[in-house]
Amino acid sequence: MRRFRRTCIWLLLMLVPFLLSAQTRTQGVAAKLSFEIGAGAVLNEGSYGEEIENRGLSPNGFAAFSFDAGFLGFTGKLSANTDGKYAPFLADNPSGTLGNIYFLMDEGGFFSQLGPVTLKAGRFRNFDYIDSPYSLFINSNGISAPTASIAYEGPLFFFETRWIGLTIDSWQKTDAWPSGFPDRAMNLHVFGIRRSDMRIGFQEATVYSGSRYFDYEYFLNPLPQIFTQYVRGQGGAPWSSDYDDNYVMGFFVNVKKPGKYNLIAQAFIDDMGMFGIAGWTNNPWQVALTLGASVEKPSGTWAFNIAGATKYTFAPSTMRSGTESTLAYGYTYFPDTRFDIGWNTAGFQPKAIATEDNMIGYKYGENNLALELSWNKAFPFATLASAFEFRLAGSNSPTNPWQDLTYDPQSGFEWLNDPVLEKRFLLSLGGEKSAGPWLFSASLTGGIALDALELRPPNPPTGGWPAGASLVDQKSYIFAPVAGNTKPLFRLTLGIAYRFFK
């Protein structure tokens, strides 16, 4: 941690002259200040998702603020929830908790807009470069995490380097991680060119675990990260390191004609095999793809998006007992699918982590196909939206390598080849209305999942777990379809917020 603090101090000192010169260039720009408070409630009914959130009515609220002086700004948002997803907040009272309320730091950090350059440091919600419900490199739900980034947006070229902290100083002990989650983080690079209405970009990311929480060379070196990884790790050199990081790469194309249409394509590549041809490996294909199109008509904006990921995509690699902490580099915020919600009582009291809350990238993870048809339109009285989604899903193991296996199966291309698949149908309706400083919102989602996914323990191989099998292989649970498991869903969300701008 001391090395990390020193690195942060040096980065800040390096940026001071830049910020001072930027302040001179932005003198005279009026500062903007805003506050927002809100309250709402969520009504959950039906058995789908009951292992994640409580059924029934769950009130919530939030408070947020933001200050922007151009060259420097800061923002913060704190929310209170009662849906049972996490343990309640501790309090000095007879019950020991603040009812069933828990708090989240949704955002809190500093930013600077210096012409075409944007700097960020703090806790921020993270989003991908493409605007899609199925974005692949960064989860479209906008998950909040410690973040530092430098981004440039020019007329011909754009670039970003981003660091995201995943887990550090963990006190969360599970059956798979009895000593707590290891320190983990990731770095993302985006390089691209812009021509007229088209953007073409290259994306790459590296997840590392065990010995580092911040890697300044991934963050500051604009060379492709694969070279940084292999040059630093090569043997027979005095700088050799034993880092074993997980590198992924991909591309996107975005053609956008404002007021007319928006076309998106994005690919994510972790590994690809050669089907054993000419003696090459037959590594499982770990790839994902998303396509999307939207058109703007007098009747509203209509959009269609489709995405899928092969089996084993996003998961870590083969582990052995004693190597778990350095190989926990799956593309997830947490290295397990469960956590201990009863941390202040004896024994492991497991609670499931939703895949949508755990994935760094594509929110549904591996081994599925999803498609969505959506519509929205701004009317004089309100903005309305609706969407229909279908998802076909097989077994999903975001934190357990190779699911029930303890070795790389060398199986080539595997996708939706389970004997049973989940079929999920969702229909949602929503609307927002502004009235002066007030904002009112409501949404309704209903649906059903057939042969729904359930979290289960890994199945040991015939003859039991082999010697050297890691605890992650044995204890990190897997989402898998269950034949005949029908689960309905009903979700009603209501909200009201008051906004003040200065």
Side-chain angles (χ1 to χ4, degrees), residues 119-151:
L119 309 176
K120 283 186 177 182
R123 176 176 288 272
F124 290 95
R125 297 180 67 195
N126 282 277
F127 294 95
D128 211 322
Y129 250 75
I130 66 164
D131 183 14
S132 166
Y134 301 137
S135 54
L136 303 179
F137 272 81
I138 299 295
N139 192 320
S140 59
N141 289 336
I143 295 175
S144 174
T147 303
S149 66
I150 304 172

PDB file of all heavy atoms in Angstrom, residues 119-151:
ATOM      1  N   LEU A 119      -9.832  14.607 -16.830  1.00  0.00           N
ATOM      2  CA  LEU A 119      -9.161  13.862 -15.774  1.00  0.00           C
ATOM      3  C   LEU A 119     -10.190  13.494 -14.709  1.00  0.00           C
ATOM      4  O   LEU A 119     -11.061  14.307 -14.373  1.00  0.00           O
ATOM      5  CB  LEU A 119      -8.042  14.687 -15.135  1.00  0.00           C
ATOM      6  CG  LEU A 119      -7.022  15.339 -16.080  1.00  0.00           C
ATOM      7  CD1 LEU A 119      -6.047  16.190 -15.276  1.00  0.00           C
ATOM      8  CD2 LEU A 119      -6.268  14.281 -16.860  1.00  0.00           C
ATOM      9  N   LYS A 120     -10.085  12.292 -14.164  1.00  0.00           N
ATOM     10  CA  LYS A 120     -10.973  11.854 -13.092  1.00  0.00           C
ATOM     11  C   LYS A 120     -10.179  11.055 -12.071  1.00  0.00           C
ATOM     12  O   LYS A 120      -9.287  10.281 -12.432  1.00  0.00           O
ATOM     13  CB  LYS A 120     -12.108  10.970 -13.627  1.00  0.00           C
ATOM     14  CG  LYS A 120     -13.231  11.708 -14.322  1.00  0.00           C
ATOM     15  CD  LYS A 120     -14.353  10.737 -14.681  1.00  0.00           C
ATOM     16  CE  LYS A 120     -15.534  11.444 -15.312  1.00  0.00           C
ATOM     17  NZ  LYS A 120     -16.646  10.490 -15.604  1.00  0.00           N
ATOM     18  N   ALA A 121     -10.529  11.247 -10.793  1.00  0.00           N
ATOM     19  CA  ALA A 121      -9.942  10.434  -9.736  1.00  0.00           C
ATOM     20  C   ALA A 121     -10.916  10.398  -8.571  1.00  0.00           C
ATOM     21  O   ALA A 121     -11.397  11.441  -8.121  1.00  0.00           O
ATOM     22  CB  ALA A 121      -8.587  10.988  -9.296  1.00  0.00           C
ATOM     23  N   GLY A 122     -11.211   9.206  -8.098  1.00  0.00           N
ATOM     24  CA  GLY A 122     -12.154   9.049  -6.994  1.00  0.00           C
ATOM     25  C   GLY A 122     -12.992   7.806  -7.209  1.00  0.00           C
ATOM     26  O   GLY A 122     -12.531   6.814  -7.772  1.00  0.00           O
ATOM     27  N   ARG A 123     -14.223   7.862  -6.745  1.00  0.00           N
ATOM     28  CA  ARG A 123     -15.178   6.773  -6.990  1.00  0.00           C
ATOM     29  C   ARG A 123     -16.205   7.260  -7.999  1.00  0.00           C
ATOM     30  O   ARG A 123     -16.916   8.239  -7.753  1.00  0.00           O
ATOM     31  CB  ARG A 123     -15.865   6.341  -5.686  1.00  0.00           C
ATOM     32  CG  ARG A 123     -16.935   5.272  -5.893  1.00  0.00           C
ATOM     33  CD  ARG A 123     -17.524   4.805  -4.581  1.00  0.00           C
ATOM     34  NE  ARG A 123     -16.583   3.992  -3.836  1.00  0.00           N
ATOM     35  CZ  ARG A 123     -16.441   2.686  -3.963  1.00  0.00           C
ATOM     36  NH1 ARG A 123     -17.212   2.021  -4.827  1.00  0.00           N
ATOM     37  NH2 ARG A 123     -15.564   2.021  -3.246  1.00  0.00           N
ATOM     38  N   PHE A 124     -16.289   6.563  -9.133  1.00  0.00           N
ATOM     39  CA  PHE A 124     -17.201   6.954 -10.203  1.00  0.00           C
ATOM     40  C   PHE A 124     -17.906   5.728 -10.766  1.00  0.00           C
ATOM     41  O   PHE A 124     -17.390   4.612 -10.713  1.00  0.00           O
ATOM     42  CB  PHE A 124     -16.450   7.658 -11.342  1.00  0.00           C
ATOM     43  CG  PHE A 124     -15.931   9.017 -10.989  1.00  0.00           C
ATOM     44  CD1 PHE A 124     -14.629   9.186 -10.543  1.00  0.00           C
ATOM     45  CD2 PHE A 124     -16.749  10.125 -11.089  1.00  0.00           C
ATOM     46  CE1 PHE A 124     -14.141  10.442 -10.212  1.00  0.00           C
ATOM     47  CE2 PHE A 124     -16.282  11.387 -10.764  1.00  0.00           C
ATOM     48  CZ  PHE A 124     -14.966  11.548 -10.319  1.00  0.00           C
ATOM     49  N   ARG A 125     -19.087   5.955 -11.313  1.00  0.00           N
ATOM     50  CA  ARG A 125     -19.741   4.927 -12.110  1.00  0.00           C
ATOM     51  C   ARG A 125     -18.983   4.813 -13.435  1.00  0.00           C
ATOM     52  O   ARG A 125     -18.575   5.821 -14.010  1.00  0.00           O
ATOM     53  CB  ARG A 125     -21.201   5.275 -12.353  1.00  0.00           C
ATOM     54  CG  ARG A 125     -22.048   5.351 -11.099  1.00  0.00           C
ATOM     55  CD  ARG A 125     -23.474   5.707 -11.430  1.00  0.00           C
ATOM     56  NE  ARG A 125     -24.125   4.631 -12.176  1.00  0.00           N
ATOM     57  CZ  ARG A 125     -25.270   4.762 -12.850  1.00  0.00           C
ATOM     58  NH1 ARG A 125     -25.878   5.938 -12.889  1.00  0.00           N
ATOM     59  NH2 ARG A 125     -25.795   3.724 -13.490  1.00  0.00           N
ATOM     60  N   ASN A 126     -18.794   3.581 -13.882  1.00  0.00           N
ATOM     61  CA  ASN A 126     -18.025   3.348 -15.101  1.00  0.00           C
ATOM     62  C   ASN A 126     -18.926   2.907 -16.247  1.00  0.00           C
ATOM     63  O   ASN A 126     -19.831   2.088 -16.061  1.00  0.00           O
ATOM     64  CB  ASN A 126     -16.959   2.284 -14.833  1.00  0.00           C
ATOM     65  CG  ASN A 126     -15.775   2.838 -14.093  1.00  0.00           C
ATOM     66  OD1 ASN A 126     -14.879   3.421 -14.696  1.00  0.00           O
ATOM     67  ND2 ASN A 126     -15.757   2.677 -12.774  1.00  0.00           N
ATOM     68  N   PHE A 127     -18.649   3.457 -17.432  1.00  0.00           N
ATOM     69  CA  PHE A 127     -19.406   3.131 -18.636  1.00  0.00           C
ATOM     70  C   PHE A 127     -18.441   2.890 -19.787  1.00  0.00           C
ATOM     71  O   PHE A 127     -17.301   3.355 -19.783  1.00  0.00           O
ATOM     72  CB  PHE A 127     -20.381   4.253 -19.000  1.00  0.00           C
ATOM     73  CG  PHE A 127     -21.483   4.447 -17.999  1.00  0.00           C
ATOM     74  CD1 PHE A 127     -21.360   5.391 -16.988  1.00  0.00           C
ATOM     75  CD2 PHE A 127     -22.636   3.664 -18.034  1.00  0.00           C
ATOM     76  CE1 PHE A 127     -22.365   5.560 -16.056  1.00  0.00           C
ATOM     77  CE2 PHE A 127     -23.648   3.829 -17.109  1.00  0.00           C
ATOM     78  CZ  PHE A 127     -23.516   4.782 -16.116  1.00  0.00           C
ATOM     79  N   ASP A 128     -18.921   2.179 -20.806  1.00  0.00           N
ATOM     80  CA  ASP A 128     -18.128   1.853 -21.980  1.00  0.00           C
ATOM     81  C   ASP A 128     -18.133   3.030 -22.952  1.00  0.00           C
ATOM     82  O   ASP A 128     -18.889   3.993 -22.810  1.00  0.00           O
ATOM     83  CB  ASP A 128     -18.718   0.605 -22.664  1.00  0.00           C
ATOM     84  CG  ASP A 128     -17.667  -0.231 -23.364  1.00  0.00           C
ATOM     85  OD1 ASP A 128     -16.742   0.358 -23.960  1.00  0.00           O
ATOM     86  OD2 ASP A 128     -17.767  -1.466 -23.322  1.00  0.00           O
ATOM     87  N   TYR A 129     -17.306   2.906 -23.996  1.00  0.00           N
ATOM     88  CA  TYR A 129     -17.255   3.934 -25.031  1.00  0.00           C
ATOM     89  C   TYR A 129     -18.450   3.858 -25.968  1.00  0.00           C
ATOM     90  O   TYR A 129     -18.757   4.826 -26.657  1.00  0.00           O
ATOM     91  CB  TYR A 129     -15.948   3.826 -25.821  1.00  0.00           C
ATOM     92  CG  TYR A 129     -15.016   4.970 -25.557  1.00  0.00           C
ATOM     93  CD1 TYR A 129     -14.307   5.040 -24.365  1.00  0.00           C
ATOM     94  CD2 TYR A 129     -14.854   6.000 -26.469  1.00  0.00           C
ATOM     95  CE1 TYR A 129     -13.450   6.090 -24.107  1.00  0.00           C
ATOM     96  CE2 TYR A 129     -14.004   7.063 -26.229  1.00  0.00           C
ATOM     97  CZ  TYR A 129     -13.297   7.102 -25.042  1.00  0.00           C
ATOM     98  OH  TYR A 129     -12.459   8.151 -24.792  1.00  0.00           O
ATOM     99  N   ILE A 130     -19.100   2.717 -26.035  1.00  0.00           N
ATOM    100  CA  ILE A 130     -20.281   2.605 -26.873  1.00  0.00           C
ATOM    101  C   ILE A 130     -21.525   2.622 -25.994  1.00  0.00           C
ATOM    102  O   ILE A 130     -21.515   2.145 -24.863  1.00  0.00           O
ATOM    103  CB  ILE A 130     -20.258   1.328 -27.740  1.00  0.00           C
ATOM    104  CG1 ILE A 130     -20.360   0.076 -26.870  1.00  0.00           C
ATOM    105  CG2 ILE A 130     -19.018   1.289 -28.611  1.00  0.00           C
ATOM    106  CD1 ILE A 130     -20.727  -1.154 -27.635  1.00  0.00           C
ATOM    107  N   ASP A 131     -22.583   3.197 -26.504  1.00  0.00           N
ATOM    108  CA  ASP A 131     -23.837   3.316 -25.765  1.00  0.00           C
ATOM    109  C   ASP A 131     -24.739   2.148 -26.152  1.00  0.00           C
ATOM    110  O   ASP A 131     -25.452   2.199 -27.156  1.00  0.00           O
ATOM    111  CB  ASP A 131     -24.503   4.655 -26.088  1.00  0.00           C
ATOM    112  CG  ASP A 131     -25.776   4.871 -25.284  1.00  0.00           C
ATOM    113  OD1 ASP A 131     -26.003   4.126 -24.310  1.00  0.00           O
ATOM    114  OD2 ASP A 131     -26.549   5.793 -25.625  1.00  0.00           O
ATOM    115  N   SER A 132     -24.678   1.087 -25.354  1.00  0.00           N
ATOM    116  CA  SER A 132     -25.435  -0.124 -25.647  1.00  0.00           C
ATOM    117  C   SER A 132     -25.827  -0.798 -24.344  1.00  0.00           C
ATOM    118  O   SER A 132     -25.039  -0.802 -23.392  1.00  0.00           O
ATOM    119  CB  SER A 132     -24.598  -1.101 -26.496  1.00  0.00           C
ATOM    120  OG  SER A 132     -25.192  -2.386 -26.524  1.00  0.00           O
ATOM    121  N   PRO A 133     -27.028  -1.384 -24.268  1.00  0.00           N
ATOM    122  CA  PRO A 133     -27.387  -2.144 -23.067  1.00  0.00           C
ATOM    123  C   PRO A 133     -26.541  -3.394 -22.902  1.00  0.00           C
ATOM    124  O   PRO A 133     -26.541  -3.996 -21.826  1.00  0.00           O
ATOM    125  CB  PRO A 133     -28.861  -2.490 -23.306  1.00  0.00           C
ATOM    126  CG  PRO A 133     -29.028  -2.475 -24.798  1.00  0.00           C
ATOM    127  CD  PRO A 133     -28.121  -1.388 -25.266  1.00  0.00           C
ATOM    128  N   TYR A 134     -25.823  -3.781 -23.954  1.00  0.00           N
ATOM    129  CA  TYR A 134     -25.000  -4.981 -23.921  1.00  0.00           C
ATOM    130  C   TYR A 134     -23.530  -4.658 -24.196  1.00  0.00           C
ATOM    131  O   TYR A 134     -22.827  -5.444 -24.846  1.00  0.00           O
ATOM    132  CB  TYR A 134     -25.503  -6.001 -24.945  1.00  0.00           C
ATOM    133  CG  TYR A 134     -26.930  -6.429 -24.748  1.00  0.00           C
ATOM    134  CD1 TYR A 134     -27.795  -6.553 -25.843  1.00  0.00           C
ATOM    135  CD2 TYR A 134     -27.441  -6.697 -23.490  1.00  0.00           C
ATOM    136  CE1 TYR A 134     -29.119  -6.962 -25.679  1.00  0.00           C
ATOM    137  CE2 TYR A 134     -28.765  -7.097 -23.311  1.00  0.00           C
ATOM    138  CZ  TYR A 134     -29.591  -7.229 -24.410  1.00  0.00           C
ATOM    139  OH  TYR A 134     -30.902  -7.625 -24.238  1.00  0.00           O
ATOM    140  N   SER A 135     -23.036  -3.535 -23.742  1.00  0.00           N
ATOM    141  CA  SER A 135     -21.624  -3.201 -23.934  1.00  0.00           C
ATOM    142  C   SER A 135     -20.749  -4.276 -23.293  1.00  0.00           C
ATOM    143  O   SER A 135     -21.098  -4.858 -22.263  1.00  0.00           O
ATOM    144  CB  SER A 135     -21.318  -1.829 -23.340  1.00  0.00           C
ATOM    145  OG  SER A 135     -21.726  -1.761 -21.979  1.00  0.00           O
ATOM    146  N   LEU A 136     -19.589  -4.544 -23.885  1.00  0.00           N
ATOM    147  CA  LEU A 136     -18.797  -5.719 -23.534  1.00  0.00           C
ATOM    148  C   LEU A 136     -17.617  -5.449 -22.616  1.00  0.00           C
ATOM    149  O   LEU A 136     -17.264  -6.291 -21.783  1.00  0.00           O
ATOM    150  CB  LEU A 136     -18.280  -6.394 -24.807  1.00  0.00           C
ATOM    151  CG  LEU A 136     -19.344  -6.830 -25.818  1.00  0.00           C
ATOM    152  CD1 LEU A 136     -18.687  -7.468 -27.032  1.00  0.00           C
ATOM    153  CD2 LEU A 136     -20.344  -7.794 -25.182  1.00  0.00           C
ATOM    154  N   PHE A 137     -16.964  -4.307 -22.752  1.00  0.00           N
ATOM    155  CA  PHE A 137     -15.772  -4.054 -21.940  1.00  0.00           C
ATOM    156  C   PHE A 137     -16.120  -3.461 -20.578  1.00  0.00           C
ATOM    157  O   PHE A 137     -15.437  -3.729 -19.597  1.00  0.00           O
ATOM    158  CB  PHE A 137     -14.786  -3.143 -22.695  1.00  0.00           C
ATOM    159  CG  PHE A 137     -13.838  -3.905 -23.554  1.00  0.00           C
ATOM    160  CD1 PHE A 137     -14.229  -4.345 -24.810  1.00  0.00           C
ATOM    161  CD2 PHE A 137     -12.565  -4.224 -23.116  1.00  0.00           C
ATOM    162  CE1 PHE A 137     -13.369  -5.076 -25.609  1.00  0.00           C
ATOM    163  CE2 PHE A 137     -11.695  -4.956 -23.906  1.00  0.00           C
ATOM    164  CZ  PHE A 137     -12.098  -5.384 -25.162  1.00  0.00           C
ATOM    165  N   ILE A 138     -17.163  -2.649 -20.516  1.00  0.00           N
ATOM    166  CA  ILE A 138     -17.601  -2.061 -19.254  1.00  0.00           C
ATOM    167  C   ILE A 138     -19.102  -2.284 -19.124  1.00  0.00           C
ATOM    168  O   ILE A 138     -19.864  -2.000 -20.054  1.00  0.00           O
ATOM    169  CB  ILE A 138     -17.271  -0.564 -19.161  1.00  0.00           C
ATOM    170  CG1 ILE A 138     -15.759  -0.340 -19.258  1.00  0.00           C
ATOM    171  CG2 ILE A 138     -17.797   0.020 -17.853  1.00  0.00           C
ATOM    172  CD1 ILE A 138     -14.938  -0.911 -18.111  1.00  0.00           C
ATOM    173  N   ASN A 139     -19.518  -2.779 -17.985  1.00  0.00           N
ATOM    174  CA  ASN A 139     -20.909  -3.112 -17.687  1.00  0.00           C
ATOM    175  C   ASN A 139     -21.833  -1.921 -17.932  1.00  0.00           C
ATOM    176  O   ASN A 139     -21.592  -0.819 -17.423  1.00  0.00           O
ATOM    177  CB  ASN A 139     -20.988  -3.557 -16.226  1.00  0.00           C
ATOM    178  CG  ASN A 139     -22.293  -4.199 -15.854  1.00  0.00           C
ATOM    179  OD1 ASN A 139     -23.356  -3.770 -16.269  1.00  0.00           O
ATOM    180  ND2 ASN A 139     -22.217  -5.231 -15.035  1.00  0.00           N
ATOM    181  N   SER A 140     -22.899  -2.113 -18.697  1.00  0.00           N
ATOM    182  CA  SER A 140     -23.817  -1.017 -19.031  1.00  0.00           C
ATOM    183  C   SER A 140     -24.624  -0.544 -17.833  1.00  0.00           C
ATOM    184  O   SER A 140     -25.268   0.513 -17.900  1.00  0.00           O
ATOM    185  CB  SER A 140     -24.773  -1.462 -20.147  1.00  0.00           C
ATOM    186  OG  SER A 140     -25.520  -2.605 -19.738  1.00  0.00           O
ATOM    187  N   ASN A 141     -24.613  -1.280 -16.709  1.00  0.00           N
ATOM    188  CA  ASN A 141     -25.308  -0.819 -15.508  1.00  0.00           C
ATOM    189  C   ASN A 141     -24.577   0.301 -14.799  1.00  0.00           C
ATOM    190  O   ASN A 141     -25.115   0.901 -13.862  1.00  0.00           O
ATOM    191  CB  ASN A 141     -25.509  -1.987 -14.530  1.00  0.00           C
ATOM    192  CG  ASN A 141     -26.539  -2.974 -15.023  1.00  0.00           C
ATOM    193  OD1 ASN A 141     -27.414  -2.635 -15.814  1.00  0.00           O
ATOM    194  ND2 ASN A 141     -26.445  -4.213 -14.574  1.00  0.00           N
ATOM    195  N   GLY A 142     -23.338   0.603 -15.214  1.00  0.00           N
ATOM    196  CA  GLY A 142     -22.607   1.718 -14.610  1.00  0.00           C
ATOM    197  C   GLY A 142     -22.238   1.459 -13.168  1.00  0.00           C
ATOM    198  O   GLY A 142     -22.582   2.239 -12.272  1.00  0.00           O
ATOM    199  N   ILE A 143     -21.508   0.397 -12.912  1.00  0.00           N
ATOM    200  CA  ILE A 143     -21.136   0.029 -11.544  1.00  0.00           C
ATOM    201  C   ILE A 143     -20.091   1.010 -11.007  1.00  0.00           C
ATOM    202  O   ILE A 143     -19.146   1.391 -11.690  1.00  0.00           O
ATOM    203  CB  ILE A 143     -20.616  -1.414 -11.503  1.00  0.00           C
ATOM    204  CG1 ILE A 143     -21.761  -2.377 -11.869  1.00  0.00           C
ATOM    205  CG2 ILE A 143     -20.033  -1.763 -10.151  1.00  0.00           C
ATOM    206  CD1 ILE A 143     -21.354  -3.815 -11.973  1.00  0.00           C
ATOM    207  N   SER A 144     -20.275   1.380  -9.749  1.00  0.00           N
ATOM    208  CA  SER A 144     -19.390   2.344  -9.098  1.00  0.00           C
ATOM    209  C   SER A 144     -18.165   1.650  -8.526  1.00  0.00           C
ATOM    210  O   SER A 144     -18.269   0.577  -7.925  1.00  0.00           O
ATOM    211  CB  SER A 144     -20.163   3.058  -7.983  1.00  0.00           C
ATOM    212  OG  SER A 144     -19.318   3.902  -7.230  1.00  0.00           O
ATOM    213  N   ALA A 145     -16.981   2.267  -8.705  1.00  0.00           N
ATOM    214  CA  ALA A 145     -15.734   1.689  -8.192  1.00  0.00           C
ATOM    215  C   ALA A 145     -14.669   2.777  -8.124  1.00  0.00           C
ATOM    216  O   ALA A 145     -14.772   3.808  -8.801  1.00  0.00           O
ATOM    217  CB  ALA A 145     -15.263   0.546  -9.091  1.00  0.00           C
ATOM    218  N   PRO A 146     -13.626   2.583  -7.305  1.00  0.00           N
ATOM    219  CA  PRO A 146     -12.491   3.525  -7.337  1.00  0.00           C
ATOM    220  C   PRO A 146     -11.923   3.599  -8.746  1.00  0.00           C
ATOM    221  O   PRO A 146     -11.657   2.570  -9.369  1.00  0.00           O
ATOM    222  CB  PRO A 146     -11.498   2.900  -6.352  1.00  0.00           C
ATOM    223  CG  PRO A 146     -12.337   2.073  -5.427  1.00  0.00           C
ATOM    224  CD  PRO A 146     -13.454   1.542  -6.278  1.00  0.00           C
ATOM    225  N   THR A 147     -11.749   4.822  -9.236  1.00  0.00           N
ATOM    226  CA  THR A 147     -11.411   5.020 -10.648  1.00  0.00           C
ATOM    227  C   THR A 147     -10.433   6.182 -10.799  1.00  0.00           C
ATOM    228  O   THR A 147     -10.535   7.188 -10.086  1.00  0.00           O
ATOM    229  CB  THR A 147     -12.680   5.330 -11.469  1.00  0.00           C
ATOM    230  OG1 THR A 147     -13.623   4.279 -11.311  1.00  0.00           O
ATOM    231  CG2 THR A 147     -12.359   5.486 -12.949  1.00  0.00           C
ATOM    232  N   ALA A 148      -9.500   6.049 -11.726  1.00  0.00           N
ATOM    233  CA  ALA A 148      -8.649   7.154 -12.172  1.00  0.00           C
ATOM    234  C   ALA A 148      -8.540   7.060 -13.685  1.00  0.00           C
ATOM    235  O   ALA A 148      -8.337   5.968 -14.221  1.00  0.00           O
ATOM    236  CB  ALA A 148      -7.271   7.099 -11.523  1.00  0.00           C
ATOM    237  N   SER A 149      -8.690   8.187 -14.371  1.00  0.00           N
ATOM    238  CA  SER A 149      -8.656   8.133 -15.831  1.00  0.00           C
ATOM    239  C   SER A 149      -8.133   9.430 -16.424  1.00  0.00           C
ATOM    240  O   SER A 149      -8.256  10.508 -15.831  1.00  0.00           O
ATOM    241  CB  SER A 149     -10.059   7.844 -16.393  1.00  0.00           C
ATOM    242  OG  SER A 149     -10.939   8.920 -16.130  1.00  0.00           O
ATOM    243  N   ILE A 150      -7.523   9.287 -17.585  1.00  0.00           N
ATOM    244  CA  ILE A 150      -7.114  10.413 -18.427  1.00  0.00           C
ATOM    245  C   ILE A 150      -7.676  10.134 -19.813  1.00  0.00           C
ATOM    246  O   ILE A 150      -7.388   9.089 -20.404  1.00  0.00           O
ATOM    247  CB  ILE A 150      -5.581  10.540 -18.503  1.00  0.00           C
ATOM    248  CG1 ILE A 150      -4.967  10.667 -17.108  1.00  0.00           C
ATOM    249  CG2 ILE A 150      -5.191  11.739 -19.376  1.00  0.00           C
ATOM    250  CD1 ILE A 150      -3.442  10.614 -17.109  1.00  0.00           C
ATOM    251  N   ALA A 151      -8.498  11.047 -20.320  1.00  0.00           N
ATOM    252  CA  ALA A 151      -9.147  10.836 -21.613  1.00  0.00           C
ATOM    253  C   ALA A 151      -8.950  12.060 -22.506  1.00  0.00           C
ATOM    254  O   ALA A 151      -8.986  13.197 -22.028  1.00  0.00           O
ATOM    255  CB  ALA A 151     -10.633  10.568 -21.421  1.00  0.00           C
TER     256      ALA A 151
END
